């Protein structure tokens, strides 16, 4: 009897939660980009830890996760990476992860075992499909090509299949090396550009709504959103909702739903 009750409660909560994902863009696939902050090896290592966390979150939800771009750090970790999440409501779930993520820990790279603070930024945008038309002037786009590199920096192609797109009006730069052909990577990069331009328009609309609906919480983009403390105590805390847990390892293994749901239910 109790099991049936708990199941019913979970179903109702899930329906209420999905009701929060009513925007047209919420149902789209998501692209998530991680950039290491200042701090060299420390931040690069932290960026790779975040990459692992989000990949594990996606796998727990049976989403298809693709690695679009991967730029390794000089010593360890990554300077940046771009992941695509394919599945129902992936953008809706992940959109609240936008912002700066802060790590406090005893550095494994410091022989003096001192405490270090590292930062990495996460940027999430919806991957537009053919139902949404975004006009791009070809004259505004320039291209560079280079050899695709794998983990550890080794060249995995002898020809320049990877591409770098630069969009002059917005300043957006996109690198793509997922596909085996340069043409496919160019098509993917253009799709990602359209997606980012679409997301920029969503930001403008959300900012306008926030001004009109003054009682709602201010929409912040690019600000620090969450602290991950490994030392001198263990705590992951979201600075927007106050949601926290001492089970740091579970969070780093992809258990993010508590934070994701708290954000969506409050904002």
């Amino acid at each position: 009897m109790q099991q049936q009750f708990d199941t019913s409660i979970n179903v109702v909560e899930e329906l209420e939660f999905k009701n929060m994902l009513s925007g047209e863009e919420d149902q789209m696939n998501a692209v998530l980009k991680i950039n290491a902050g200042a701090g060299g090896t420390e931040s690069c290592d932290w960026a790779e830890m975040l990459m692992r966390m989000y990949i594990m979150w996606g796998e727990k939800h049976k989403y298809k996760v693709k690695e679009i771009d991967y730029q390794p750090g000089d010593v360890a970790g990554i300077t940046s990476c771009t992941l695509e999440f394919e599945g129902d409501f992936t953008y809706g779930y992940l959109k609240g992860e936008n912002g700066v993520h802060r790590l406090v820990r005893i550095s494994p790279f410091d022989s003096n075992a001192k405490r270090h603070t590292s930062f990495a930024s996460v940027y999430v945008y919806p991957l537009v499909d053919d139902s949404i038309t975004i006009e791009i002037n070809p004259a505004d786009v320039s291209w560079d090509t280079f050899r695709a590199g794998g983990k550890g920096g080794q060249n995995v192609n002898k020809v320049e299949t990877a591409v770098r797109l630069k969009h002059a009006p917005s300043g957006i730069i996109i690198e793509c090396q997922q596909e085996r052909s340069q043409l496919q990577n160019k098509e993917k990069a253009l799709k990602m550009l359209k997606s980012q331009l679409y997301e920029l328009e969503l930001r403008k609309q959300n900012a306008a709504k926030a001004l009109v609906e003054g009682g709602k919480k201010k929409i912040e983009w690019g600000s620090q959103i969450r602290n991950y403390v490994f030392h001198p105590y263990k705590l992951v805390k979201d600075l927007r909702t106050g949601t926290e847990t001492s089970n740091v390892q579970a969070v780093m293994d992809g258990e993010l739903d508590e934070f994701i749901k708290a954000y969506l239910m409050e904002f």
Side-chain angles (χ1 to χ4, degrees):
M1 196 70 178
Q2 182 64 41
Q3 185 177 0
Q4 290 180 339
F5 176 77
D6 291 341
T7 300
S8 298
I9 290 296
N10 288 336
V11 169
V12 171
E13 288 181 347
E14 191 66 22
L15 287 172
E16 181 183 12
F17 177 53
K18 284 197 172 180
N19 189 49
M20 303 296 295
L21 303 176
S22 57
E24 179 185 9
E25 70 279 0
D26 288 336
Q27 302 179 38
M28 296 179 183
N29 294 337
V31 177
L32 183 148
K33 183 168 184 177
I34 302 170
N35 286 304
T41 301
E42 288 290 338
S43 292
C44 289
D45 188 51
W46 173 226
E48 186 170 47
M49 291 166 66
L50 287 174
M51 180 182 75
R52 174 184 177 275
M53 180 183 78
Y54 286 115
I55 289 174
M56 292 189 72
W57 174 83
E59 290 173 346
K60 289 177 187 291
H61 286 269
K62 309 299 182 185
Y63 292 139
K64 187 174 182 180
V65 184
K66 300 177 186 175
E67 187 180 288
I68 305 297
D69 186 51
Y70 180 98
Q71 301 297 328
D74 291 336
V75 178
I78 59 172
T79 59
S80 68
C81 74
T82 304
L83 304 172
E84 179 184 331
F85 292 80
E86 182 180 331
D88 293 338
F89 296 98
T90 48
Y91 175 70
Y93 287 124
L94 287 171
K95 63 184 180 182
E97 295 301 296
N98 265 308
V100 176
H101 297 244
R102 173 176 175 261
L103 170 68
V104 179
R105 66 170 176 174
I106 297 294
S107 170
F109 305 102
D110 188 339
S111 59
N112 295 316
K114 291 183 177 180
R115 188 170 61 178
H116 286 250
T117 299
S118 306
F119 297 89
S121 65
V122 174
Y123 173 42
V124 185
Y125 56 93
L127 188 63
V128 297
D129 54 29
D130 294 336
S131 66
I132 297 176
T133 302
I134 306 291
E135 297 293 337
I136 297 175
N137 185 347
D140 292 335
V141 176
S142 61
W143 297 93
D144 295 320
T145 60
F146 57 98
R147 292 185 181 183
K151 290 181 176 61
Q154 71 270 26
N155 286 328
V156 294
N157 283 312
K158 294 183 179 179
V159 293
E160 295 185 340
T161 58
V163 300
R164 182 181 297 109
L165 174 158
K166 298 178 182 177
H167 185 243
S170 65
I172 292 173
I173 298 175
I174 294 172
E175 292 184 349
C176 185
Q177 55 179 305
Q178 175 194 9
E179 307 296 344
R180 291 184 176 273
S181 79
Q182 187 182 112
L183 178 61
Q184 289 176 313
N185 280 323
K186 282 189 172 183
E187 291 174 349
K188 188 73 174 182
L190 277 171
K191 187 174 183 179
M192 292 168 67
L193 173 61
K194 290 179 180 180
S195 298
Q196 288 199 35
L197 293 174
Y198 177 70
E199 191 267 348
L200 284 173
E201 184 58 35
L202 287 177
R203 288 196 204 185
K204 294 176 184 177
Q205 293 176 9
N206 286 336
K209 286 180 184 177
L211 287 174
V212 173
E213 304 172 14
K216 290 190 175 181
K217 290 184 178 289
K218 184 179 179 182
I219 298 173
E220 295 282 357
W221 297 87
S223 59
Q224 184 174 318
I225 65 166
R226 193 174 301 145
N227 289 331
Y228 304 72
V229 182
F230 291 11
H231 184 86
Y233 51 86
K234 295 189 181 299
L235 182 71
V236 179
K237 182 172 183 177
D238 195 291
L239 304 180
R240 304 161 300 177
T241 64
T243 304
E244 61 181 54
T245 179
S246 59
N247 194 346
V248 173
Q249 190 57 54
V251 173
M252 298 312 300
D253 287 341
E255 297 291 343
L256 293 171
D257 284 356
E258 181 180 3
F259 295 97
I260 289 172
K261 290 182 177 181
Y263 173 83
L264 292 175
M265 296 297 283
E266 187 165 334
F267 284 78

